[in-house]
Amino acid sequence: MPIISIANQKGGVGKTSTAINLSASIAAAEYRTLLVDIDPQANSSSGLGVEINNPSVYDVLMGLENAENAIQSTYMPFLDILPSTIDLVGAEIELVSVENREHQLTEPLSNLRSKYDFIFIDCPPSLGLLTLNSLTASDSVIIPVQCEYFALEGLGQLLNTINLVRKNLNPNLSIEGVLLTMFDQRLKLSNQVREEVNKYFGEKVFEAVIHRNVRISEAPSHAKPVLLYDSISTGAKNYMQLAAELIERTKIKKIDE
């Protein structure tokens, strides 16, 4: 079963929104889904209304707890979360002296493959050890790119990191797809960014596009994915399209089937 990181070291690109809403949309299609929140800001955890008690992903990362014991269920029947905590802020420093420090997530998440159809990881907006651990444990990466002026700036750095991980830590890592977010078809700029991204990434670009939609921004303050906050909104429909496309691309059969 695929483990997919959602990564971009640039903040404000819709990374956490995508982690929450894609996971929820896949779960709504009754695929067993786990969202791993490895961002110290813990926005995926709070965005799904999860109380952040110990144990958390920090304990799993530091080898203090089994992943199974840290997983919490959410109010969506097919969606579980491995929550984050502010403790993760110090994890990068603590991991520096650990042997195989980039592989701390690999075994815990591999042990969960048989329990879930999809495992998503919400990475922090940086290319530090937390993101490296996520990429090393993953089969593929989804890269959200916002349709704004500096959209492609820094992408080269991320692609370079992915190549280094492939070369040194995880030869099987691939790019699952590039996702255009905050798209506004009325703006010339949005369409220019779309053209540039299509030119550079070709077939890797998802056909589903996440339009700029106020409902996506409002949903986290209600601790809900947009699908439950406003199911007929453009944002909810966009993420359902993305989920359908990802299911089609990966050809995953449900565990129970």
Side-chain angles (χ1 to χ4, degrees):
M1 302 300 119
I3 299 175
I4 302 172
S5 277
I6 300 168
N8 191 329
Q9 81 275 21
K10 212 167 173 300
V13 299
K15 181 183 56 62
T16 295
S17 291
T18 296
I20 293 172
N21 292 306
L22 176 56
S23 299
S25 299
I26 296 265
E30 300 191 350
Y31 285 83
R32 293 181 188 281
T33 308
L34 174 67
L35 175 55
V36 179
D37 186 0
I38 199 164
D39 186 343
Q41 295 174 75
N43 290 337
S44 277
S45 305
S46 61
L48 286 172
V50 170
E51 289 293 317
I52 302 164
N53 305 314
N54 281 344
S56 69
V57 74
Y58 170 83
D59 301 281
V60 176
L61 195 66
M62 303 309 294
L64 305 171
E65 188 61 86
N66 284 339
E68 290 90 336
N69 297 338
I71 289 169
Q72 294 188 35
S73 52
T74 70
Y75 41 66
M76 291 188 76
F78 288 85
L79 179 59
D80 290 343
I81 187 164
L82 182 49
S84 176
T85 166
I86 195 68
D87 292 346
L88 275 178
V89 168
E92 302 231 340
I93 296 158
E94 292 173 58
L95 284 171
V96 167
S97 57
V98 173
E99 200 178 336
N100 281 338
R101 60 191 179 194
E102 297 93 352
H103 291 272
Q104 296 298 104
L105 268 188
T106 307
E107 191 180 332
L109 294 190
S110 287
N111 292 340
L112 297 171
R113 281 184 192 269
S114 59
K115 293 192 163 114
Y116 294 98
D117 299 306
F118 286 90
I119 297 175
F120 295 103
I121 309 175
D122 182 18
C123 297
S126 69
L127 294 177
L129 268 176
L130 295 176
T131 298
L132 278 181
N133 265 279
S134 304
L135 295 177
T136 303
S138 295
D139 302 306
S140 60
V141 194
I142 290 174
I143 305 171
V145 175
Q146 91 282 33
C147 295
E148 289 173 0
Y149 187 64
F150 291 115
L152 302 179
E153 199 178 70
L155 260 192
Q157 201 183 348
L158 176 62
L159 296 175
N160 195 29
T161 300
I162 290 169
N163 285 331
L164 284 171
V165 169
R166 214 180 263 150
K167 194 170 159 187
N168 300 307
L169 300 165
N170 177 7
N172 300 317
L173 183 67
S174 65
I175 293 174
E176 188 65 54
V178 176
L179 175 68
L180 291 167
T181 63
M182 304 177 201
F183 184 80
D184 186 340
Q185 59 202 21
R186 297 165 302 178
L187 297 180
K188 192 176 173 187
L189 181 59
S190 278
N191 291 299
Q192 284 173 339
V193 171
R194 186 182 209 167
E195 277 173 36
E196 284 293 309
V197 170
N198 279 324
K199 198 189 300 178
Y200 194 83
F201 290 100
E203 290 176 357
K204 289 286 184 192
V205 184
F206 285 106
E207 283 179 31
V209 169
I210 311 303
H211 290 78
R212 191 176 283 284
N213 180 241
V214 71
R215 292 290 187 249
I216 295 174
S217 311
E218 289 171 353
S221 65
H222 297 267
K224 288 179 177 176
V226 69
L227 181 67
L228 296 187
Y229 176 61
D230 184 350
S231 62
I232 60 167
S233 65
T234 301
K237 289 173 185 168
N238 290 167
Y239 277 110
M240 287 303 282
Q241 285 166 341
L242 176 63
E245 191 175 343
L246 185 62
I247 290 165
E248 174 58 32
R249 275 192 188 196
T250 51
K251 301 279 191 284
I252 293 298
K253 293 270 187 290
K254 294 177 186 174
I255 285 172
D256 302 335
E257 287 181 358

